[in-house]
Amino acid sequence: MAQRTIMIFDTTLRDGEQTPGVNLEMAEKIEIAQALAKLRVDVIEAGFPVASPGDFAGVSAVAAQVKGPVIAALARAEKKDIEIAAEAIRKAERPRIHTFIATSDIHLAYKLKMTRQQVLDAAEAAVNYARKFVEDVEFSAEDASRSDWDFLCQVYAAAIRAGATVINVPDTVGYTTPGEFGRLIRYIRDNVPGIEQAAISAHCHDDLGLAIANSLAAVENGATQIECCINGLGERAGNASLEEVVMALATRSEYYRASTRIDTRQIYRTSRLVSTLSGIVVPPNKAIVGDNAFAHESGIHQHGVLNNPFTYEIMRPETVGASKSSIVLGKHSGRHAFEERLQSMGYELDAAAITALFAKFKELADRKKTVYDRDIEALVTDTALAKTEMYRLIYHHVVSGTQTLATASVRLEGASGIVEEACCGDGPVDATFKAIEKAIGVSICLKDYQIKAVTSGEDALGEATVWVEQDGMTFSGRGLSTDIIEASAKAYVSAINKMFAACGRQGAPQAAGGN
Ligand code: KIV
Ligand code: ZN
């Protein structure tokens, strides 16, 4: 059997953005979409335009600015959704409308309150209508894995008759198992009239930890498109993780007789970017992109790897862009060496961006003896985030100790000039956060706060992440510094900036006595 090419449909910006606590700003969506294009995904599902004006604007911006992959927009099987989705992807080089309706009896009875015939008609009508706007239409039968197989086949057949180019089989609730899902894909292949005119896609959720196994079972049984998210983001327990599907197919390509078009060297960088912008931390033991994915602790393993890496490594870290250079940079390193390192790490930046980063690198090298790749990576994403700043921390001072009430003063630069305030608190971080709130004049609901070292060593960069809540939405912010209070303050300001960008300045509760 010849090798098949499996299409990678990335839904980080749609299902991934449905991850609890994730809220991406427009600039962040574009940044992620550009990284996905560089990763060479075949399809980017950019959002669900009817869901909100922010979603519509995000999809439109991605469609207008990101070239290469197909840009898909999600729409329920309803005229209004389809019209809005079509408008959002109007400027895409290769637009796709992805329309869906549920097919399981439980969804029909309790959610849609529709009969099977009504669902069948709605699916056919939706695809028909979507085809009036674009040539590429994907149809999904939501909760397919819990639907009656024969009814499912009838719905897919109707969708194909109406012009669907892709039929997607979602395991919406992460309920199926590899054997069962594989049989379902084969059943669809064997029983849907016209199936040869459409690609078969699988969309698996990870509620039982089976999303990857189910996606691979789908490939073995004839699926030619897999839907997935970077770092396995997605509703509830997430979707199949892109890096795991892609590397399973790359590493076991002979077994699956299949491959993808992904540039695997971009995987690690894209994973870090998505983690930073989404605020969802990658666990150290996560396959492919976790910090420990290529670390060998046991002496026996280390010995084997030194003699021949393949004794204990089924793939090389450089294949996924995770190799660490043995040459470290420091304050004596010049711009040329810095630029080369950026390139070898997969960053393609223009001269102005490199100049700005080089200045930050020099500042960091003055405070830190050795600058590692992880530090550089953190600087790049930090600079990317800074583009959306409304307030910027320009000064902070803290006094704290066992016998002293912690006191912090901060100075921030905002659109209307400089604001500064001082406050006391339960420790230096609390005092700093209170001073920031007072200076900006808002009262913030802090949901969570984390601090960790980016690399090892006493002078390591500290990376602070905070999550704040407003109107039921969560916004994360990240800050970086060798001084952990400064990192925390930057993270807090960044989360507040994101909150203002999404909800407006006036949406946030005013601080007592604030300006
Ligand atoms: O999980 C699901 O069923 C979905 C569909 C909209 C494809 O995300
Ligand atoms: Zn889903």
Side-chain angles (χ1 to χ4, degrees):
M1 198 166 71
Q3 281 259 339
R4 290 176 307 146
T5 301
I6 305 299
M7 303 289 158
I8 296 297
F9 175 114
D10 180 277
T11 181
T12 306
L13 294 176
R14 199 278 298 168
D15 221 322
E17 223 223 349
Q18 287 170 224
T19 308
V22 173
N23 249 304
L24 297 167
E25 281 178 32
M26 166 102 96
E28 296 172 331
K29 289 182 184 174
I30 296 170
E31 180 120 17
I32 291 176
Q34 260 147 1
L36 292 171
K38 214 157 162 214
L39 182 65
R40 289 206 233 119
V41 303
D42 297 283
V43 186
I44 295 175
E45 184 163 54
F48 188 12
V50 77
S52 72
D55 245 54
F56 179 86
V59 178
S60 311
V62 170
Q65 295 178 38
V66 180
K67 304 297 165 204
V70 168
I71 306 295
L74 187 68
R76 283 168 302 187
E78 288 174 21
K79 277 193 161 178
K80 180 175 153 232
D81 281 37
I82 292 168
E83 284 159 11
I84 292 176
E87 174 56 25
I89 51 172
R90 197 169 43 84
K91 295 207 175 127
E93 232 171 32
R94 298 158 67 204
R96 175 183 294 181
I97 294 177
H98 175 192
T99 185
F100 72 99
I101 190 163
T103 46
S104 65
D105 287 339
I106 184 165
H107 278 234
L108 263 61
Y110 295 98
K111 187 181 83 174
L112 297 176
K113 303 194 189 321
M114 286 167 85
T115 62
R116 285 187 176 185
Q117 187 59 48
Q118 285 169 325
V119 165
L120 193 88
D121 294 343
E124 188 164 359
V127 175
N128 231 319
Y129 194 54
R131 279 298 304 255
K132 296 199 187 314
F133 299 95
V134 290
E135 281 179 9
D136 189 3
V137 175
E138 172 167 334
F139 170 75
S140 282
E142 193 189 7
D143 208 15
S145 55
R146 292 193 302 167
S147 303
D148 176 82
W149 287 17
D150 289 321
F151 174 56
L152 194 59
C153 288
Q154 282 174 37
V155 177
Y156 285 139
I160 293 171
R161 267 199 315 276
T165 45
V166 181
I167 58 125
N168 182 35
V169 189
D171 180 28
T172 303
V173 290
Y175 176 74
T176 196
T177 62
E180 181 186 71
F181 199 55
R183 281 195 298 280
L184 173 59
I185 299 291
R186 188 159 289 274
Y187 193 82
I188 290 168
R189 245 180 80 186
D190 293 343
N191 291 285
V192 172
I195 193 70
E196 59 295 337
Q197 295 159 41
I200 303 178
S201 170
H203 175 110
C204 298
H205 279 269
D206 209 29
D207 300 65
L208 293 174
L210 292 171
I212 295 292
N214 291 336
S215 303
L216 293 173
V219 168
E220 276 192 273
N221 286 281
T224 51
Q225 175 179 286
I226 296 298
E227 305 201 353
C228 43
C229 290
I230 299 288
N231 299 338
L233 293 188
E235 188 83 45
R236 303 181 312 280
N239 288 69
S241 107
L242 180 145
E243 58 278 11
E244 293 177 28
V245 173
V246 167
M247 288 315 292
L249 290 174
T251 310
R252 303 303 311 273
S253 120
E254 278 179 24
Y255 174 79
Y256 287 106
R257 294 181 186 278
S259 55
T260 69
R261 294 200 185 92
I262 296 295
D263 177 357
T264 59
R265 290 162 309 166
Q266 293 291 328
I267 285 180
Y268 186 75
R269 181 180 93 82
T270 314
S271 158
R272 293 289 155 183
L273 177 75
V274 169
S275 169
T276 302
L277 298 185
S278 65
I280 304 287
V281 178
V282 175
N285 61 339
K286 164 87 174 61
I288 319 293
V289 290
D291 279 346
N292 297 347
F294 297 97
H296 301 278
E297 172 72 20
S298 119
I300 297 174
H301 288 209
Q302 287 171 354
H303 178 72
V305 169
L306 285 174
N307 288 344
N308 179 344
F310 289 102
T311 49
Y312 286 99
E313 273 181 2
I314 56 166
M315 51 200 159
R316 298 290 295 144
E318 50 269 28
T319 316
V320 298
S323 60
K324 303 276 174 279
S325 175
S326 53
I327 303 166
V328 288
L329 298 181
K331 68 175 177 185
H332 300 298
S333 308
R335 185 185 159 115
H336 187 65
F338 179 68
E339 212 172 318
E340 272 196 344
R341 181 59 54 84
L342 283 174
Q343 261 172 18
S344 72
M345 291 169 69
Y347 295 108
E348 275 169 28
L349 301 163
D350 59 31
I354 296 173
T355 305
L357 272 171
F358 187 60
K360 287 195 167 194
F361 161 75
K362 281 286 177 185
E363 247 173 60
L364 179 64
D366 266 341
R367 293 160 89 170
K368 196 174 181 295
K369 204 164 145 263
T370 307
V371 180
Y372 298 101
D373 287 359
R374 280 285 280 121
D375 294 319
I376 296 176
E377 192 184 289
L379 284 185
V380 178
T381 27
D382 205 44
T383 312
L385 289 177
K387 285 181 204 152
T388 57
E389 277 177 351
M390 192 165 165
Y391 282 96
R392 193 168 65 87
L393 179 77
I394 48 179
Y395 164 90
H396 84 288
H397 178 76
V398 182
V399 182
S400 76
T402 44
Q403 308 286 326
T404 327
L405 184 63
T407 315
S409 49
V410 298
R411 188 179 302 143
L412 302 162
E413 189 181 353
S416 51
I418 302 288
V419 282
E420 48 193 340
E421 277 298 342
C423 261
C424 298
D426 291 336
V429 174
D430 185 51
T432 305
F433 286 3
K434 283 192 172 129
I436 291 171
E437 287 184 42
K438 203 167 163 200
I440 297 179
V442 284
S443 170
I444 300 294
C445 169
L446 175 67
K447 270 198 73 186
D448 210 347
Y449 164 68
Q450 258 184 29
I451 182 109
K452 67 170 188 160
V454 171
T455 49
S456 54
E458 283 163 9
D459 59 357
L461 265 184
E463 181 182 62
T465 313
V466 302
W467 290 264
V468 303
E469 198 177 60
Q470 168 73 21
D471 293 339
M473 287 190 284
T474 305
F475 303 91
S476 64
R478 195 188 73 137
L480 211 60
S481 173
T482 46
D483 167 348
I484 58 167
I485 306 296
E486 187 184 342
S488 308
K490 282 180 169 175
Y492 204 50
V493 174
S494 148
I496 295 173
N497 280 334
K498 277 198 191 180
M499 190 184 90
F500 286 165
C503 309
R505 172 78 173 73
Q506 57 298 348
Q510 302 298 299
N515 53 8

